[in-house]
Amino acid sequence: MTNMISDETIEYVGILAKLELSPEEREQAKKDMGNMLDYIDMLNNLDTEGVEPMSHVFPVYNVFREDIVANGDERDKILANAPEEKDGAFKVPKTVE
C-alpha cells in the first residue's frame, strides 16, 4: 500500500460525512481508502493511447420520441369542464392573501 492515509484525513472525512467512527472503524476506513487510492494509481498507469473517451460502455442513443402535439388546440373543450372561466382560463378561488 503506497498511499498512507493519516488519522487527520480520516477525522476530516468523518466530519464531512457526519460520521462518528470508532477506533476500529477508523483503522478499517484508512485501509479501505488506501486500497481505493492504490487502485486509482493502478488505473492511472494503464496505457490508454488511442482509446476514445466515452461516457458509457454501451452505445447510447436518444430513445425519446419526437415531441409532436397531437391534440393541442382544444381549449374550448377543456374549459367546458371548468366550473368558472375567465379570459380563456380556469377561474379559481383566491388561496393566498
Side-chain angles (χ1 to χ4, degrees):
M1 183 179 340
T2 58
N3 293 302
M4 292 301 298
I5 307 297
S6 68
D7 291 331
E8 293 81 21
T9 301
I10 294 296
E11 184 74 27
Y12 182 65
V13 170
I15 291 169
L16 290 176
K18 297 184 181 192
L19 297 174
E20 292 183 28
L21 300 173
S22 69
E24 297 83 22
E25 291 171 326
R26 286 183 187 171
E27 286 304 313
Q28 186 60 46
K30 281 172 63 172
K31 289 178 189 173
D32 291 343
M33 288 179 76
N35 289 338
M36 285 186 269
L37 292 174
D38 287 341
Y39 188 73
I40 291 169
D41 284 343
M42 182 191 74
L43 292 175
N44 284 334
N45 291 329
L46 293 175
D47 180 22
T48 57
E49 188 68 33
V51 177
E52 280 190 47
M54 62 180 140
S55 62
H56 200 280
V57 294
F58 298 111
V60 178
Y61 303 103
N62 186 355
V63 294
F64 298 111
R65 65 173 169 76
E66 197 65 32
D67 191 15
I68 300 171
V69 178
N71 56 354
D73 193 22
E74 296 187 0
R75 177 187 289 189
D76 294 333
K77 284 184 181 179
I78 295 169
L79 288 174
N81 295 317
E84 291 187 57
E85 177 257 329
K86 179 180 179 185
D87 299 327
F90 281 82
K91 183 177 178 183
V92 296
K94 186 175 184 180
T95 57
V96 178
E97 296 202 28

